[in-house]
Amino acid sequence: MLERFSRGVIRLRWLIIPLTLILVAAAGSGVKNLRFDSDYRIFFSEENPQLLAFDALQNTYTKNDNVLFVLAPKGGDVFTGELLQAVVELTEESWQIPYSIRVDSLTNYQHTQAEEDDLIVADLVEDPLSLDQTALDRIRNIALNEPRLKNRTVSPQGDVTGVNVTIQLPGKRPDAEVPEVAAFARQIAEKLRNAHPDIEIHLTGMSMMNNAFPEASIKDMSTLIPGMFLVVILVLGTLLRSLWATVGTVLVIFLSIITAMGLTGWLGIGLSGPTSAAPTIILTMAVADSVHILITFLTALRRQGLNRKEALLESLRINMQPIFLTSLTTAIGFLSMNFGDVPPFRDLGNIVAMGVVAAFILSVTFLPALISLLPVKVSFSRTRTGMAMERLGDFVVQRRNGLLWGMSALALGLVACIPLNELNDEFVKYFSEEVEFRRATDFSSERLTGIYQIEYSIESGESNGVAKPDFLKDVDRFADWYRQQPEVIHVNTLTDTFKRLNRSMHGDDPAYYRLPEARDLAAQYLLLYEMSLPYGLDLNNQINVDKSATRFTATLQNISTNEVLALADRAKAWLQANLPPVMQAEGSSPTIMFAHIGKRNIQSMLTGATIALVLISGILIIALRSIKIGLISLIPNLVPMGMAFGFWGIVEGEVGLALSVVTGMTLGIVVDDSVHFLSKYLRARRENGGLSSAEAVRYAFANVGTALWVTSLVLVAGFFVLTFSSFKLNSGMGLLAGITISFALIADFLLLPPLLMKLED
């Protein structure tokens, strides 16, 4: 059957080549449907409990997607007429940003003060260029002593200020709305820079982070893919020493990527940061099948003296089964990513799996059909790499015992270091420092305020209950506790507003900066204040519709997920110990969501990897027709992942969201080398006169050793190219995957052969 298939491919080559191009064009036309998803929520499944909690909070109050302009005057003082005038202009312009529903700044802060028996609510700064130094000093004193402004809108030193724009996207054009907001904000910032060259301006906030995802993805796809193509062409050209063989491989790679990405478009899968790595990964995966076929083909031409047709038939006969097995196991490994809790990584697994299947089909149909027509010429001398593999085979056979014990000790030593890894992450650091959003966010966190938050909706238990004195006292105690935590930069709570109103209603007497003691009085203050607020600056972002609950927000420094979760746990314990049950609340926010996602994904990916391992092991036992060999193959397939994570624990020590998918992803890849090595080993044992285990090892090294290290080199190069990604999820994933594949080759060359000789002799 296999021989009929192989001869059919050669005989029908003039039909296969154009038919392949037509089918690839049909699949690839789906590229026009590709879109970039620009919302951090895509990292969370619809059933994610932290996302559900956050959505519930945002449905109760206004959403808090935002653009934050951070202004740092080079003179180091924001309380000057010129700087405050710039803030006034920026505040007015920011209302024009698409989908903006609120703008908060130092100048439009609704300051309250008493005027005889009246409560005056007005902008803190009006007509700044007309203010004298006394007026400016008064504004400075108010701003730096107002809890709602300090560390949120103005820095404690008064040298940096921010203008925060709240954005509420309609969600009708998710791939266009965020870029529209970001482009408008950048346009305003640029205009302000030109008008005020002495002001340093940065743009951060959740909307800018959302926009950074597709921008980083597009940059990666425009730089990494061409770079990887160049690496592959150079490596293949050097090692295959055949122009037309290299051209054939590059065509298979190109058509595989077009097919997978086109099908992605037809299936309606959106592109994101993680899926932007798919073309690069497919590129590396597609190389392996072609290299095995071509190296065997070229070897048959050089060393066996076969003609082109006979050499192709011999290559397909030898490689069809292992290539099918490795493609199947690789696809299973990537499909196991569907067990993860992060939709973009599921999409990545599905896209690469489609690319792997396409590469297999093209490698056994299009490639041999094309090569049979191309004028491939070879020298008939033995290659250096072939001789090197034969010498390596002799070395491994002669030093089998030492290698077995030495490699076992190395593997056990590295596996023992796995516990050195700590589950940790910082989602702002998903972006490299080359990304504008990352630099702006780091600047804001160091000089003004952070992007990490924990939010609560605290219930009073009854309508209009937010004015109850006992409720306000409890909320205020919670705020005091949070302000004492070292990780906290700012706490935004309604109780500060009540204190300020109480002081203003008592002639601005500082002694009355405390909570009202009567419910009716507090309710009257609140009503009076709400009626005085201008359009767009109401309290809907802090109080729910029936005034039974209030929003409480703690802004944090840039801290790790472990520190976020530890702080949230401490807050929960404090609430349980100090407040009545009705006021118990779970913290929610994007920060909390990202803090949980790493652990959730690792747990779900372990299930997926286990199922993939069982499937792959069963396939190998059946395909290799040997339970013993199938079980032996588990060792070189599992040991590299353990060695890689142990090595990672020594040099890095932190495992985050990106690395949680590496086990499932590389499981299918590392199997490839052992499948090819074992298939050649068993062929020598069963077909070549029943060679001894030592001679079968030499045969395997001579016949597949070169292909293994060439494909491994390309795979490692491909994943290492990802380390240049500006998206840390991809760079970290690429680095650990490259390390894992390197250890896999070492295990297949130096551990598997001695193990086979030990157990088979």
Side-chain angles (χ1 to χ4, degrees):
M1 180 178 175
L2 177 59
E3 186 176 352
R4 284 203 302 274
F5 172 82
S6 303
R7 291 186 180 280
V9 169
I10 305 300
R11 188 174 66 255
L12 300 174
R13 53 193 171 183
W14 287 109
L15 174 63
I16 288 175
I17 292 175
L19 183 61
T20 299
L21 296 177
I22 291 171
L23 292 175
V24 170
S29 62
V31 171
K32 65 178 183 295
N33 299 323
L34 290 176
R35 69 179 195 286
F36 278 96
D37 289 329
S38 51
D39 190 339
Y40 67 85
R41 288 177 176 81
I42 63 171
F43 282 89
F44 306 93
S45 59
E46 292 181 356
E47 63 274 13
N48 183 286
Q50 287 78 37
L51 175 62
L52 293 175
F54 184 59
D55 283 344
L57 185 139
Q58 290 210 313
N59 291 334
T60 303
Y61 308 93
T62 56
K63 291 190 175 181
N64 67 347
D65 285 359
N66 70 313
V67 173
L68 176 63
F69 293 86
V70 181
L71 283 68
K74 294 179 181 175
D77 186 7
V78 301
F79 298 101
T80 64
E82 292 76 13
L83 189 284
L84 293 176
Q85 178 61 33
V87 174
V88 169
E89 295 170 6
L90 178 57
T91 303
E92 292 175 357
E93 292 254 13
S94 295
W95 281 106
Q96 306 304 315
I97 293 177
Y99 320 117
S100 60
I101 60 171
R102 183 185 182 100
V103 180
D104 291 287
S105 70
L106 187 61
T107 57
N108 78 347
Y109 169 70
Q110 294 305 292
H111 177 58
T112 60
Q113 61 182 341
E115 199 167 284
E116 297 182 348
D117 292 335
D118 294 328
L119 175 68
I120 304 300
V121 182
D123 289 354
L124 177 61
V125 182
E126 294 177 333
D127 194 10
L129 293 177
S130 67
L131 300 176
D132 58 20
Q133 192 57 47
T134 302
L136 292 171
D137 289 343
R138 172 182 165 274
I139 292 170
R140 177 198 301 273
N141 183 56
I142 292 171
L144 297 185
N145 288 284
E146 172 52 52
R148 288 178 60 82
L149 293 178
K150 186 180 174 183
N151 282 321
R152 184 171 181 238
T153 305
V154 63
S155 64
Q157 296 77 26
D159 58 348
V160 180
T161 186
V163 175
N164 188 64
V165 187
T166 304
I167 304 292
Q168 187 153 17
L169 299 175
K172 296 178 180 176
R173 298 176 298 126
D175 56 332
E177 291 164 359
V178 169
E180 190 179 353
V181 170
F184 203 103
R186 284 171 175 163
Q187 186 180 342
I188 292 176
E190 190 59 31
K191 181 180 176 182
L192 197 66
R193 287 190 190 100
N194 293 331
H196 303 275
D198 291 336
I199 302 176
E200 186 179 349
I201 303 170
H202 299 273
L203 279 170
T204 181
M206 298 307 291
S207 294
M208 299 309 295
M209 185 181 82
N210 284 339
N211 189 63
F213 282 115
E215 285 189 342
S217 303
I218 293 171
K219 181 185 175 186
D220 280 0
M221 295 179 76
S222 62
T223 56
L224 299 186
I225 296 175
M228 188 56 207
F229 259 113
L230 183 62
V231 169
V232 167
I233 290 171
L234 290 175
V235 172
L236 292 179
T238 303
L239 297 174
L240 295 178
R241 295 191 302 160
S242 168
L243 171 64
W244 293 113
T246 303
V247 169
T249 305
V250 171
L251 282 175
V252 168
I253 295 169
F254 182 72
L255 296 178
S256 300
I257 294 174
I258 292 293
T259 302
M261 299 311 293
L263 292 175
T264 299
W266 285 121
L267 293 173
I269 299 173
L271 296 181
S272 59
T275 55
S276 67
T280 308
I281 298 175
I282 293 171
L283 194 156
T284 60
M285 297 291 102
V287 169
D289 294 346
S290 300
V291 165
H292 280 287
I293 288 177
L294 289 172
I295 285 187
T296 304
F297 165 72
L298 295 172
T299 302
L301 288 178
R302 290 180 179 126
R303 298 173 58 182
Q304 299 177 22
L306 301 179
N307 61 37
R308 198 184 311 163
K309 177 181 175 183
E310 292 170 337
L312 278 171
L313 292 174
E314 175 65 7
S315 178
L316 288 173
R317 186 184 76 83
I318 292 176
N319 289 300
M320 180 65 84
Q321 186 201 40
I323 287 176
F324 171 75
L325 282 177
T326 55
S327 298
L328 179 62
T329 54
T330 301
I332 289 174
F334 277 97
L335 289 174
S336 74
M337 294 168 72
N338 280 283
F339 286 90
D341 199 47
V342 182
F345 284 118
R346 298 178 193 169
D347 294 338
L348 175 63
N350 293 331
I351 296 171
V352 176
M354 288 190 288
V356 169
V357 173
F360 167 72
I361 295 172
L362 290 167
S363 296
V364 299
T365 55
F366 175 79
L367 181 65
L370 181 68
I371 291 295
S372 69
L373 296 174
L374 295 176
V376 179
K377 295 180 179 178
V378 295
S379 63
F380 288 87
S381 59
R382 297 173 70 193
T383 63
R384 291 181 181 178
T385 55
M387 289 188 288
M389 284 296 102
E390 291 174 6
R391 286 197 290 271
L392 179 60
D394 291 337
F395 172 79
V396 170
V397 169
Q398 292 166 7
R399 304 294 177 92
R400 66 183 84 172
N401 290 327
L403 286 172
L404 180 61
W405 291 112
M407 282 297 300
S408 298
L410 176 64
L412 289 173
L414 287 175
V415 169
C417 295
I418 291 178
L420 295 178
N421 289 295
E422 180 187 13
L423 178 59
N424 217 348
D425 234 339
E426 273 192 57
F427 69 80
V428 167
K429 293 183 179 177
Y430 286 175
F431 302 94
S432 75
E433 294 179 352
E434 298 175 356
V435 177
E436 178 190 352
F437 162 76
R438 167 71 186 278
R439 294 196 302 273
T441 304
D442 286 348
F443 182 88
S444 177
S445 299
E446 292 169 5
R447 303 285 298 277
L448 179 62
T449 191
I451 195 172
Y452 291 2
Q453 293 181 332
I454 301 179
E455 297 195 281
Y456 301 84
S457 178
I458 302 179
E459 287 282 346
S460 66
E462 60 184 273
S463 181
N464 295 310
V466 296
K468 291 193 305 183
D470 290 344
F471 172 77
L472 291 174
K473 286 179 182 176
D474 285 340
V475 173
D476 200 46
R477 286 198 296 136
F478 190 41
D480 287 341
W481 179 85
Y482 246 117
R483 285 176 175 133
Q484 292 169 8
Q485 308 311 305
E487 307 93 336
V488 176
I489 297 175
H490 182 264
V491 174
N492 188 29
T493 169
L494 185 66
T495 56
D496 290 336
T497 302
F498 274 107
K499 290 179 182 176
R500 183 160 50 89
L501 290 172
N502 195 38
R503 180 185 60 191
S504 297
M505 295 304 291
H506 287 84
D508 289 328
D509 184 352
Y512 283 89
Y513 187 76
R514 60 182 188 236
L515 293 170
E517 295 180 354
R519 178 171 180 169
D520 292 347
L521 193 61
Q524 288 175 16
Y525 289 171
L526 189 61
L527 178 62
L528 189 61
Y529 182 59
E530 284 188 294
M531 292 177 64
S532 304
L533 291 173
Y535 173 79
L537 295 179
D538 53 40
L539 294 179
N540 289 339
N541 63 337
Q542 280 196 281
I543 306 174
N544 66 348
V545 175
D546 69 348
K547 294 183 173 51
S548 63
T550 182
R551 188 179 203 164
F552 179 101
T553 305
T555 303
L556 317 177
Q557 300 171 356
N558 284 358
I559 57 178
S560 68
T561 55
N562 282 343
E563 291 169 315
V564 170
L565 293 176
L567 177 60
D569 287 343
R570 296 204 309 272
K572 184 177 181 179
W574 189 93
L575 285 170
Q576 291 173 341
N578 295 280
L579 299 189
V582 70
M583 295 182 68
Q584 306 296 322
E586 288 283 346
S588 63
S589 67
T591 309
I592 292 289
M593 290 154 57
F594 277 105
H596 280 280
I597 192 67
K599 185 178 181 181
R600 285 176 59 86
N601 203 52
I602 283 181
Q603 290 172 340
S604 52
M605 279 304 303
L606 284 176
T607 303
T610 303
I611 293 174
L613 179 63
V614 172
L615 283 174
I616 290 172
S617 301
I619 290 170
L620 293 184
I621 289 172
I622 294 172
L624 299 176
R625 290 179 293 153
S626 169
I627 295 176
K628 183 171 73 173
I629 296 297
L631 294 176
I632 290 174
S633 72
L634 291 177
I635 296 175
N637 293 338
L638 290 176
V639 161
M641 286 179 283
M643 294 173 73
F645 273 96
F647 181 74
W648 192 265
I650 295 172
V651 300
E652 186 69 24
E654 286 191 357
V655 177
L657 174 60
L659 306 189
S660 65
V661 302
V662 170
T663 301
M665 187 175 72
T666 56
L667 179 60
I669 301 174
V670 301
V671 170
D672 291 9
D673 287 354
S674 57
V675 166
H676 281 289
F677 192 94
L678 286 171
S679 68
K680 300 300 183 292
Y681 172 84
L682 290 174
R683 181 179 293 276
R685 295 279 280 168
R686 292 167 180 167
E687 293 184 8
N688 294 1
L691 296 180
S692 67
S693 60
E695 290 305 314
V697 165
R698 287 192 174 95
Y699 175 86
F701 268 105
N703 286 276
V704 79
T706 300
L708 290 186
W709 78 260
V710 169
T711 54
S712 296
L713 178 64
V714 173
L715 285 167
V716 171
F719 280 104
F720 278 168
V721 164
L722 283 180
T723 62
F724 293 100
S725 170
S726 54
F727 199 54
K728 188 182 176 184
L729 290 180
N730 293 343
S731 61
M733 179 180 68
L735 181 58
L736 185 55
I739 292 171
T740 304
I741 295 168
S742 300
F743 278 126
L745 183 65
I746 293 171
D748 285 314
F749 276 175
L750 303 182
L751 178 60
L752 177 60
L755 195 61
L756 286 169
M757 289 183 279
K758 185 74 174 177
L759 297 177
E760 290 255 290
D761 281 344

